[in-house]
Structure formats: structure tokens, C-alpha cells
Amino acid sequence: AQSVAQPEDQVNVAEGNPLTVKCTYSVSGNPYLFWYVQYPNRGLQFLLKYITGDNLVKGSYGFEAEFNKSQTSFHLKKPSALVSDSALYFCAVRDLSNDYKLSFGAGTTVTVRA
Amino acid sequence: DGGITQSPKYLFRKEGQNVTLSCEQNLNHDAMYWYRQDPGQGLRLIYYSQIVNDFQKGDIAEGYSVSREKKESFPLTVTSAQKNPTAFYLCASSIRGGQTTGELFFGEGSRLTVL
């Protein structure tokens, strides 16, 4: 069965500092990996995805993520965080051997202080 | 503008009542999904539908029912059999189900509170 782990419930950073949100996954086949962001009482917004190719994926709002197959990780990064990046972030994985299903991590709350 | 519309945004229900949450999309997507979100638990799949007139149970389908009579619509009924229905419900769609690289597009959610 596929699964996603986000080991940190909360991440706190100062504005202007680098931001990293960690994600590890477990699938039986090749993974499709996604990051979403959620603001309070709103739906999820798509940030970026890894399907194949370059391990470094660039997405919306200056975010990027690095796929590491050996470590089964897909960490989300932003070089310089903004206060407006404060939100709940979800990592998700789709396993083609279980192709309809997108499994989500529990989420990481990011707080960027001014 | 294309998107997914969920209604109502907030809903209060007495115990023992069934309620139906609406989800409409004008993205011409084949697949639609219902997720439940509880604090600290991420999103859990309730039901999904890959085509009209067909749907499958997700991980937590007990106490819920759906229909897919039109491509644009995928309503979710929370029945009185659902033991703990208070939650935030999210509807999503994707270009198609099955083996797709496509991401999901989400509605703004419906928050159900059982009194």
C-alpha cells in the first residue's frame, strides 16, 4: 500500500530565510508526487508535481521540490520565505499500481514570522 | 471562470438527519472525488467517480452515499449512519481517472457540524 509521511507537524521560519517542508513516501511502483497548499477554511491549491525527468521541479509562488529516489523523499523548498507563505502544506503520492488513488500526508503547518 | 463549486460552505445538522453536500464542476473533467479532512489526519478518500453513472468506495465510505448522474455533478450525502460526521469536506476533480499524471483541482470545501 502507498503512504506518505510528513515528519514535522509544524515548521517555523523567519521571513527571508529558506523554507523546507519534508515529505517521504512509500509505493510499490513508480511514484507520481504532488505538493498542495491550503489556507484556512479554503480548498487545496496545487503547487507542483513530479512525474518523471529532472529531479528538481519548479512550481508556483517560487516553490520547488527535489525528488530523491534513493531516500524516497520529495521535500518542498523555497529559498526566501514570505509571511504570506504561512499555510498548511500537503504532500501526496499516486502509485500507478493503485492508479486511481492519491494518498495525502497529514500536513505540515508553516508559520513565517515577520 | 472554470472551477469547482461546493455548497453550502457551512452546514449544521442535528443528529439523525441526512444532509447532502453539492459539488459542481465546469472544467469538463471526467473524474470527481470526495475527501474528508480532520485536523492532523490529512485527507481521506470517501468516494470517487471516473465516469458518469459509475463510482467506487474510497477508504472511509461507510455512512456516506454519492451519485454521478451528470458529468458536472457529484453530490455527497452524509447519512445518519455516519458515526462522526463533523468535518471539513472537500470535492475535487481531475481530467480523468485511472493512469493520469494530472493533478486534482479542489473546491473551497464544506464544513459540516453536527449539533
Side-chain angles (χ1 to χ4, degrees):
Chain A
Q2 63 202 59
S3 65
V4 177
Q6 294 182 241
E8 300 163 315
D9 292 336
Q10 293 195 357
V11 170
N12 298 304
V13 298
E15 188 172 36
N17 282 2
L19 169 63
T20 298
V21 186
K22 295 180 180 177
C23 171
T24 59
Y25 65 90
S26 174
V27 298
S28 56
N30 290 323
Y32 288 172
L33 294 155
F34 303 81
W35 274 102
Y36 290 84
V37 61
Q38 184 182 35
Y39 297 97
N41 293 310
R42 305 291 299 275
L44 276 66
Q45 297 177 31
F46 168 75
L47 282 177
L48 50 80
K49 65 183 178 183
Y50 171 82
I51 303 302
T52 187
D54 193 348
N55 289 342
L56 185 63
V57 178
K58 294 188 182 297
S60 306
Y61 312 119
F63 284 94
E64 59 188 27
E66 186 167 11
F67 172 66
N68 187 318
K69 188 173 183 177
S70 63
Q71 297 185 8
T72 62
S73 67
F74 189 56
H75 301 331
L76 181 70
K77 299 180 181 182
K78 187 170 184 180
S80 179
L82 301 172
V83 172
S84 58
D85 293 328
S86 298
L88 181 59
Y89 291 80
F90 289 100
C91 182
V93 64
R94 172 175 278 145
D95 181 354
L96 292 191
S97 65
N98 193 12
D99 57 15
Y100 67 86
K101 188 175 177 180
L102 189 65
S103 295
F104 287 84
T108 299
T109 299
V110 171
T111 302
V112 182
R113 61 185 184 277
Chain B
D1 284 6
I4 301 177
T5 301
Q6 290 187 241
S7 62
K9 188 166 180 65
Y10 298 95
L11 184 61
F12 297 88
R13 186 194 93 175
K14 294 181 180 180
E15 284 191 20
Q17 289 181 334
N18 293 354
V19 293
T20 297
L21 308 180
S22 171
C23 179
E24 303 277 334
Q25 55 99 357
N26 60 4
L27 299 168
N28 200 32
H29 286 173
D30 289 318
M32 297 186 74
Y33 312 79
W34 275 105
Y35 286 88
R36 171 178 170 144
Q37 183 178 12
D38 296 284
Q41 295 193 44
L43 276 68
R44 293 181 289 170
L45 183 64
I46 304 172
Y47 269 97
Y48 69 102
S49 168
Q50 298 192 48
I51 57 172
V52 176
N53 293 321
D54 186 49
F55 50 83
Q56 287 80 40
K57 294 181 179 180
D59 299 320
I60 57 166
E62 185 176 353
Y64 300 97
S65 67
V66 294
S67 63
R68 186 87 187 276
E69 298 176 1
K70 299 187 299 182
K71 187 176 185 178
E72 302 80 25
S73 179
F74 191 43
L76 173 74
T77 296
V78 184
T79 75
S80 57
Q82 168 50 230
K83 301 299 182 186
N84 184 21
T86 295
F88 191 52
Y89 292 87
L90 288 160
C91 179
S93 70
S94 63
I95 291 175
R96 63 184 185 277
Q99 295 190 11
T100 175
T101 62
E103 63 271 23
L104 268 60
F105 292 79
F106 283 85
E108 290 292 288
S110 293
R111 185 168 298 280
L112 172 63
T113 302
V114 175
L115 304 174

